[in-house]
Amino acid sequence: QVQLVESGGGLVQAGGSLRLSCVATGRTFRIYTMGWFRQAPGKEREFVAAITGSGGSTSYADSVKGRFTISRDNAKNTVYLRMNSLKPEDTAVYYCGQGATVWDPYRYDYWGQGTQVTVSS
């Protein structure tokens, strides 16, 4: 059974930084695409970033390019999202997803429970 557990969310001032973590169990972690999505109140869930199983390729939403960095540690079954220069519009619940073995940054089979990120102005 696949389980994804996010952590690292919180309250931060605009311009600050946070690092989200997501630990995955239940499947061979290193062969699956991992990604981050977010959902703000009243809005649909939107793509943030994705990374291939090897970590060799990444994809980002235009709104976070240059500020957010996705990475993974396959020895720890963990994917990270480093968020710098945070803005109030980054406020959302952030979800970790586990996708396919082929590269498709927008397709996910499993989701975590989410972690709240709130950026104050």
Side-chain angles (χ1 to χ4, degrees), residues 18-52:
L18 283 175
R19 189 180 78 159
L20 306 183
S21 301
C22 172
V23 179
T25 58
R27 297 199 295 185
T28 305
F29 180 77
R30 59 179 171 80
I31 66 174
Y32 291 98
T33 296
M34 297 296 296
W36 290 95
F37 281 64
R38 67 186 181 186
Q39 188 166 17
K43 296 188 177 181
E44 293 187 353
R45 188 175 296 192
E46 65 174 2
F47 170 77
V48 175
I51 188 167
T52 55

Side-chain angles (χ1 to χ4, degrees), residues 4 8-9 22 29 40 51 65 91 95 100:
L4 305 176
C22 172
F29 180 77
I51 188 167
K65 277 181 184 176
T91 295
Y95 297 91

Side-chain angles (χ1 to χ4, degrees), residues 32-96:
Y32 291 98
T33 296
M34 297 296 296
W36 290 95
F37 281 64
R38 67 186 181 186
Q39 188 166 17
K43 296 188 177 181
E44 293 187 353
R45 188 175 296 192
E46 65 174 2
F47 170 77
V48 175
I51 188 167
T52 55
S54 67
S57 294
T58 57
S59 179
Y60 294 93
D62 288 342
S63 59
V64 306
K65 277 181 184 176
R67 300 188 299 122
F68 290 11
T69 302
I70 189 170
S71 62
R72 64 191 297 159
D73 184 338
N74 286 343
K76 295 182 178 179
N77 285 8
T78 302
V79 62
Y80 304 99
L81 185 68
R82 177 68 179 181
M83 306 185 293
N84 295 329
S85 302
L86 282 161
K87 305 175 181 180
E89 51 264 44
D90 294 318
T91 295
V93 177
Y94 283 71
Y95 297 91
C96 166

